[in-house]
Amino acid sequence: MECVFGLVGNGFAIVVADTSAVHSILVHKSNEDKIMVLDSHKLIAASGEPGDRVQFTEYIQKNVALYQFRNGIPLTTAAAANFTRGELATALRKNPYSVNILLAGYDKETGPSLYYIDYIATLHKVEKGAFGYGSYFSLSMMDRHFHSGMSVEEAIDLVDKCIMEIRSRLVVAPPNFVIKIVDKDGAREYAWRESVKDTPAPPA
């Protein structure tokens, strides 16, 4: 029951993901961070099979870093999205990854951007996007309330509306979400929305 969504505002992009690690009928943990910081000004949020998600996002992160080491300049957000899409397309004909991605970034020249990349290597630049069962609700909420040039406060209010809708409408809704933002000051964690906290095991 994964939920990943994001949107672009005035000078920033926000991505949100649930934090549940689930297999079959078991919840293994509820603080799994599914949004990776690719570099100083890029975020990659992924949903899909846990092994594919972790392996592929780490592979992209290391290759983006390798490009910067070799060339002395970072990839733009568009270049990172096209590289990611190319790797998914290559794998599709060999050993496909079951992973869907929202890639957000900020460039000095072009400002914030958000790219939608699905498991069959479809790439689109979007202003808002979502994956998972939560997309049924978050997309409809964003269609109703999203507008270009939103402030951070308006965007967070919309994110909270989406989270509340998912929690109240989805039959097996994830309890916790992490929100991350990227703007001219870099990519960073913004907030958590938690209704369940992992409690440590009592000492033996």
Side-chain angles (χ1 to χ4, degrees):
M1 296 292 176
E2 288 190 302
C3 308
V4 175
F5 59 95
L7 57 92
V8 176
N10 182 20
F12 67 92
I14 281 179
V15 284
V16 185
D18 76 282
T19 60
S20 297
V22 178
H23 177 70
S24 184
I25 61 169
L26 297 177
V27 177
H28 294 293
K29 61 188 295 196
S30 56
N31 60 353
E32 172 78 3
D33 191 350
K34 299 176 184 176
I35 307 174
M36 176 179 279
V37 176
L38 270 191
D39 65 18
S40 63
H41 286 76
K42 292 180 197 65
L43 294 168
I44 185 167
S47 69
E49 289 296 321
D52 286 354
R53 173 175 54 79
V54 172
Q55 198 275 332
F56 186 72
T57 53
E58 287 184 353
Y59 171 76
I60 296 299
Q61 183 191 47
K62 304 313 177 197
N63 274 275
V64 167
L66 178 63
Y67 179 92
Q68 186 168 355
F69 280 131
R70 281 178 170 168
N71 298 282
I73 57 169
L75 284 170
T76 64
T77 308
N82 278 280
F83 170 73
T84 303
R85 186 257 167 205
E87 293 303 310
L88 270 177
T90 302
L92 188 62
R93 289 148 183 85
K94 296 177 181 176
N95 185 22
Y97 292 102
S98 177
V99 60
N100 299 302
I101 286 167
L102 286 176
L103 195 153
Y106 184 92
D107 302 295
K108 284 183 181 177
E109 297 79 15
T110 56
S113 54
L114 180 68
Y115 290 87
Y116 168 109
I117 311 164
D118 72 8
Y119 73 102
I120 49 174
T122 302
L123 171 65
H124 282 294
K125 185 179 181 182
V126 295
E127 286 199 312
K128 59 186 188 296
F131 284 114
Y133 282 108
S135 66
Y136 292 109
F137 310 107
S138 55
L139 282 176
S140 59
M141 289 298 288
M142 288 191 286
D143 281 341
R144 177 69 181 84
H145 297 287
F146 176 84
H147 61 86
S148 295
M150 295 181 85
S151 68
V152 174
E153 292 75 20
E154 289 174 316
I156 292 299
D157 184 55
L158 176 52
V159 163
D160 286 336
K161 282 188 171 85
C162 292
I163 291 172
M164 287 303 297
E165 196 71 9
I166 290 166
R167 283 176 174 167
S168 60
R169 300 289 294 280
L170 189 57
V171 65
V172 187
N176 301 339
F177 292 81
V178 60
I179 304 168
K180 295 192 181 182
I181 188 169
V182 58
D183 57 18
K184 61 180 171 48
D185 299 320
R188 61 196 180 278
E189 187 177 294
Y190 184 86
W192 284 68
R193 296 291 186 261
E194 294 180 296
S195 58
V196 171
K197 291 187 184 291
D198 278 4
T199 53

mmCIF file of all heavy atoms in Angstrom, residues 1-2 18-30 32 34 50 172-175 198:
data_model
loop_
_atom_site.group_PDB
_atom_site.id
_atom_site.type_symbol
_atom_site.label_atom_id
_atom_site.label_comp_id
_atom_site.label_asym_id
_atom_site.label_seq_id
_atom_site.Cartn_x
_atom_site.Cartn_y
_atom_site.Cartn_z
ATOM 1 N N MET A 1 0.837 -1.197 0.000
ATOM 2 C CA MET A 1 0.000 0.000 0.000
ATOM 3 C C MET A 1 0.880 1.259 0.000
ATOM 4 O O MET A 1 0.727 2.135 0.839
ATOM 5 C CB MET A 1 -0.931 -0.008 1.216
ATOM 6 C CG MET A 1 -1.917 -1.138 1.201
ATOM 7 S SD MET A 1 -3.121 -0.971 -0.114
ATOM 8 C CE MET A 1 -4.041 -2.483 0.076
ATOM 9 N N GLU A 2 1.824 1.299 -0.922
ATOM 10 C CA GLU A 2 2.787 2.395 -0.920
ATOM 11 C C GLU A 2 2.169 3.687 -1.455
ATOM 12 O O GLU A 2 1.272 3.664 -2.292
ATOM 13 C CB GLU A 2 4.013 2.025 -1.748
ATOM 14 C CG GLU A 2 4.885 0.990 -1.070
ATOM 15 C CD GLU A 2 6.211 0.824 -1.780
ATOM 16 O OE1 GLU A 2 6.199 0.502 -2.980
ATOM 17 O OE2 GLU A 2 7.242 1.015 -1.140
ATOM 18 N N ASP A 18 5.411 7.415 2.071
ATOM 19 C CA ASP A 18 5.096 6.682 3.299
ATOM 20 C C ASP A 18 6.380 6.018 3.797
ATOM 21 O O ASP A 18 7.365 5.899 3.057
ATOM 22 C CB ASP A 18 4.013 5.644 3.041
ATOM 23 C CG ASP A 18 4.538 4.428 2.305
ATOM 24 O OD1 ASP A 18 4.712 4.523 1.078
ATOM 25 O OD2 ASP A 18 4.800 3.396 2.954
ATOM 26 N N THR A 19 6.389 5.599 5.046
ATOM 27 C CA THR A 19 7.610 5.036 5.634
ATOM 28 C C THR A 19 7.398 3.605 6.133
ATOM 29 O O THR A 19 8.078 3.157 7.056
ATOM 30 C CB THR A 19 8.106 5.920 6.796
ATOM 31 O OG1 THR A 19 7.089 6.002 7.800
ATOM 32 C CG2 THR A 19 8.445 7.321 6.308
ATOM 33 N N SER A 20 6.467 2.891 5.516
ATOM 34 C CA SER A 20 6.173 1.523 5.946
ATOM 35 C C SER A 20 6.973 0.515 5.124
ATOM 36 O O SER A 20 7.008 0.604 3.896
ATOM 37 C CB SER A 20 4.681 1.223 5.793
ATOM 38 O OG SER A 20 3.916 2.058 6.628
ATOM 39 N N ALA A 21 7.615 -0.420 5.818
ATOM 40 C CA ALA A 21 8.255 -1.561 5.157
ATOM 41 C C ALA A 21 7.361 -2.766 5.395
ATOM 42 O O ALA A 21 7.247 -3.256 6.525
ATOM 43 C CB ALA A 21 9.653 -1.797 5.716
ATOM 44 N N VAL A 22 6.700 -3.220 4.333
ATOM 45 C CA VAL A 22 5.643 -4.224 4.461
ATOM 46 C C VAL A 22 5.954 -5.424 3.574
ATOM 47 O O VAL A 22 6.450 -5.274 2.453
ATOM 48 C CB VAL A 22 4.278 -3.616 4.047
ATOM 49 C CG1 VAL A 22 3.178 -4.657 4.114
ATOM 50 C CG2 VAL A 22 3.926 -2.431 4.923
ATOM 51 N N HIS A 23 5.673 -6.605 4.084
ATOM 52 C CA HIS A 23 5.734 -7.813 3.257
ATOM 53 C C HIS A 23 4.535 -8.687 3.594
ATOM 54 O O HIS A 23 4.329 -9.039 4.760
ATOM 55 C CB HIS A 23 7.025 -8.592 3.503
ATOM 56 C CG HIS A 23 7.102 -9.874 2.725
ATOM 57 N ND1 HIS A 23 7.252 -9.899 1.352
ATOM 58 C CD2 HIS A 23 7.013 -11.162 3.111
ATOM 59 C CE1 HIS A 23 7.284 -11.150 0.940
ATOM 60 N NE2 HIS A 23 7.133 -11.939 1.983
ATOM 61 N N SER A 24 3.732 -8.990 2.566
ATOM 62 C CA SER A 24 2.518 -9.782 2.757
ATOM 63 C C SER A 24 1.629 -9.097 3.806
ATOM 64 O O SER A 24 1.292 -7.928 3.649
ATOM 65 C CB SER A 24 2.884 -11.215 3.155
ATOM 66 O OG SER A 24 1.722 -12.011 3.264
ATOM 67 N N ILE A 25 1.286 -9.794 4.891
ATOM 68 C CA ILE A 25 0.413 -9.196 5.901
ATOM 69 C C ILE A 25 1.211 -8.608 7.066
ATOM 70 O O ILE A 25 0.630 -8.167 8.053
ATOM 71 C CB ILE A 25 -0.598 -10.225 6.440
ATOM 72 C CG1 ILE A 25 0.130 -11.404 7.102
ATOM 73 C CG2 ILE A 25 -1.525 -10.701 5.328
ATOM 74 C CD1 ILE A 25 -0.785 -12.332 7.881
ATOM 75 N N LEU A 26 2.545 -8.571 6.928
ATOM 76 C CA LEU A 26 3.386 -8.103 8.032
ATOM 77 C C LEU A 26 3.929 -6.698 7.783
ATOM 78 O O LEU A 26 4.371 -6.391 6.679
ATOM 79 C CB LEU A 26 4.572 -9.049 8.240
ATOM 80 C CG LEU A 26 4.248 -10.496 8.641
ATOM 81 C CD1 LEU A 26 5.530 -11.291 8.740
ATOM 82 C CD2 LEU A 26 3.508 -10.526 9.969
ATOM 83 N N VAL A 27 3.912 -5.890 8.819
ATOM 84 C CA VAL A 27 4.600 -4.601 8.791
ATOM 85 C C VAL A 27 5.917 -4.784 9.537
ATOM 86 O O VAL A 27 5.930 -5.043 10.737
ATOM 87 C CB VAL A 27 3.763 -3.488 9.474
ATOM 88 C CG1 VAL A 27 4.547 -2.186 9.490
ATOM 89 C CG2 VAL A 27 2.437 -3.306 8.763
ATOM 90 N N HIS A 28 7.032 -4.679 8.830
ATOM 91 C CA HIS A 28 8.339 -4.895 9.453
ATOM 92 C C HIS A 28 8.816 -3.657 10.209
ATOM 93 O O HIS A 28 9.442 -3.770 11.248
ATOM 94 C CB HIS A 28 9.371 -5.285 8.398
ATOM 95 C CG HIS A 28 9.092 -6.608 7.771
ATOM 96 N ND1 HIS A 28 9.166 -7.791 8.479
ATOM 97 C CD2 HIS A 28 8.736 -6.954 6.512
ATOM 98 C CE1 HIS A 28 8.865 -8.805 7.676
ATOM 99 N NE2 HIS A 28 8.595 -8.316 6.483
ATOM 100 N N LYS A 29 8.578 -2.483 9.646
ATOM 101 C CA LYS A 29 8.956 -1.242 10.325
ATOM 102 C C LYS A 29 8.119 -0.109 9.764
ATOM 103 O O LYS A 29 7.584 -0.217 8.653
ATOM 104 C CB LYS A 29 10.454 -0.956 10.177
ATOM 105 C CG LYS A 29 10.909 -0.783 8.745
ATOM 106 C CD LYS A 29 12.434 -0.703 8.612
ATOM 107 C CE LYS A 29 13.008 0.520 9.267
ATOM 108 N NZ LYS A 29 14.406 0.781 8.820
ATOM 109 N N SER A 30 8.012 0.975 10.511
ATOM 110 C CA SER A 30 7.199 2.105 10.059
ATOM 111 C C SER A 30 8.012 3.393 10.007
ATOM 112 O O SER A 30 7.452 4.479 10.096
ATOM 113 C CB SER A 30 5.969 2.275 10.955
ATOM 114 O OG SER A 30 6.359 2.416 12.300
ATOM 115 N N GLU A 32 10.843 3.578 7.555
ATOM 116 C CA GLU A 32 11.717 3.346 6.403
ATOM 117 C C GLU A 32 11.685 4.568 5.478
ATOM 118 O O GLU A 32 10.639 4.907 4.918
ATOM 119 C CB GLU A 32 11.243 2.104 5.640
ATOM 120 C CG GLU A 32 11.942 1.851 4.321
ATOM 121 C CD GLU A 32 13.316 1.231 4.486
ATOM 122 O OE1 GLU A 32 13.711 0.948 5.620
ATOM 123 O OE2 GLU A 32 13.974 1.027 3.454
ATOM 124 N N LYS A 34 12.015 6.330 2.215
ATOM 125 C CA LYS A 34 12.011 5.955 0.796
ATOM 126 C C LYS A 34 12.404 7.114 -0.119
ATOM 127 O O LYS A 34 12.263 7.012 -1.335
ATOM 128 C CB LYS A 34 10.621 5.423 0.410
ATOM 129 C CG LYS A 34 10.227 4.179 1.198
ATOM 130 C CD LYS A 34 8.814 3.727 0.887
ATOM 131 C CE LYS A 34 8.444 2.547 1.767
ATOM 132 N NZ LYS A 34 7.048 2.126 1.578
ATOM 133 N N PRO A 50 10.965 -3.788 -2.430
ATOM 134 C CA PRO A 50 11.980 -3.180 -1.553
ATOM 135 C C PRO A 50 13.419 -3.397 -2.022
ATOM 136 O O PRO A 50 14.221 -2.468 -2.008
ATOM 137 C CB PRO A 50 11.733 -3.854 -0.203
ATOM 138 C CG PRO A 50 10.305 -4.277 -0.243
ATOM 139 C CD PRO A 50 10.011 -4.617 -1.672
ATOM 140 N N VAL A 172 -5.944 -0.055 3.830
ATOM 141 C CA VAL A 172 -4.761 -0.372 4.643
ATOM 142 C C VAL A 172 -3.786 0.783 4.467
ATOM 143 O O VAL A 172 -2.824 0.688 3.723
ATOM 144 C CB VAL A 172 -4.108 -1.710 4.236
ATOM 145 C CG1 VAL A 172 -3.010 -2.075 5.224
ATOM 146 C CG2 VAL A 172 -5.136 -2.817 4.154
ATOM 147 N N ALA A 173 -4.051 1.880 5.147
ATOM 148 C CA ALA A 173 -3.281 3.109 4.939
ATOM 149 C C ALA A 173 -1.998 3.082 5.755
ATOM 150 O O ALA A 173 -2.008 2.670 6.916
ATOM 151 C CB ALA A 173 -4.120 4.316 5.323
ATOM 152 N N PRO A 174 -0.888 3.526 5.169
ATOM 153 C CA PRO A 174 0.345 3.652 5.958
ATOM 154 C C PRO A 174 0.198 4.760 6.988
ATOM 155 O O PRO A 174 -0.390 5.806 6.696
ATOM 156 C CB PRO A 174 1.404 4.006 4.900
ATOM 157 C CG PRO A 174 0.647 4.557 3.750
ATOM 158 C CD PRO A 174 -0.701 3.922 3.763
ATOM 159 N N PRO A 175 0.709 4.548 8.193
ATOM 160 C CA PRO A 175 0.491 5.538 9.261
ATOM 161 C C PRO A 175 1.413 6.751 9.193
ATOM 162 O O PRO A 175 1.034 7.843 9.604
ATOM 163 C CB PRO A 175 0.749 4.744 10.545
ATOM 164 C CG PRO A 175 1.709 3.667 10.122
ATOM 165 C CD PRO A 175 1.371 3.327 8.700
ATOM 166 N N ASP A 198 7.715 3.591 16.121
ATOM 167 C CA ASP A 198 8.331 2.303 16.432
ATOM 168 C C ASP A 198 8.840 2.337 17.873
ATOM 169 O O ASP A 198 9.622 3.210 18.240
ATOM 170 C CB ASP A 198 9.500 2.021 15.501
ATOM 171 C CG ASP A 198 9.024 1.459 14.168
ATOM 172 O OD1 ASP A 198 7.805 1.374 13.995
ATOM 173 O OD2 ASP A 198 9.867 1.113 13.325
#
